[in-house]
Amino acid sequence: MNPFYPTIMKMHQNNQPAEIIYQSTSGELSHRVIYINKVTPQFVQGFCTLRKTTRTFSLQNILSVYPSKNTNSTFSKTSSIF
């Protein structure tokens, strides 16, 4: 199991946005803030604020994960962006 899976799962259960450092399959690094919709042992799906759309991220390509620094109230899954 990916070492970030329990952390991401807890953030999802608490409806808490996550900041991740992600490495694409081509090796490019990016910093993302995501609002998590779904978590599996292999993937995380959520709204990515960088791309402004729902994205799917491979857990094996997530290099770091931590709670978002955004101190606004937690994200509502009923928001109009979905």
Side-chain angles (χ1 to χ4, degrees), residues 14-46:
N14 292 332
N15 202 30
Q16 184 175 28
E19 290 194 41
I20 63 172
I21 303 299
Y22 190 76
Q23 184 173 18
S24 70
T25 54
S26 65
E28 184 177 335
L29 296 177
S30 61
H31 172 257
R32 314 281 185 114
V33 175
I34 59 172
Y35 293 89
I36 304 166
N37 297 342
K38 182 178 178 180
V39 181
T40 73
Q42 292 83 28
F43 297 98
V44 176
Q45 183 183 65

Side-chain angles (χ1 to χ4, degrees), residues 15-17 35-37 73-82:
N15 202 30
Q16 184 175 28
Y35 293 89
I36 304 166
N37 297 342
S73 61
T74 58
F75 179 74
S76 169
K77 291 182 182 178
T78 60
S79 173
S80 63
I81 59 173
F82 288 106

Side-chain angles (χ1 to χ4, degrees), residues 1-13 38-44 59 62 65:
M1 181 186 317
N2 183 287
F4 296 123
Y5 179 76
T7 302
I8 291 172
M9 195 64 176
K10 184 175 179 181
M11 294 172 83
H12 174 54
Q13 291 167 345
K38 182 178 178 180
V39 181
T40 73
Q42 292 83 28
F43 297 98
V44 176
L59 274 176
I62 294 176
V65 62

Side-chain angles (χ1 to χ4, degrees), residues 22 42-46 53-58:
Y22 190 76
Q42 292 83 28
F43 297 98
V44 176
Q45 183 183 65
T53 190
T54 299
R55 304 290 291 231
T56 301
F57 301 94
S58 172

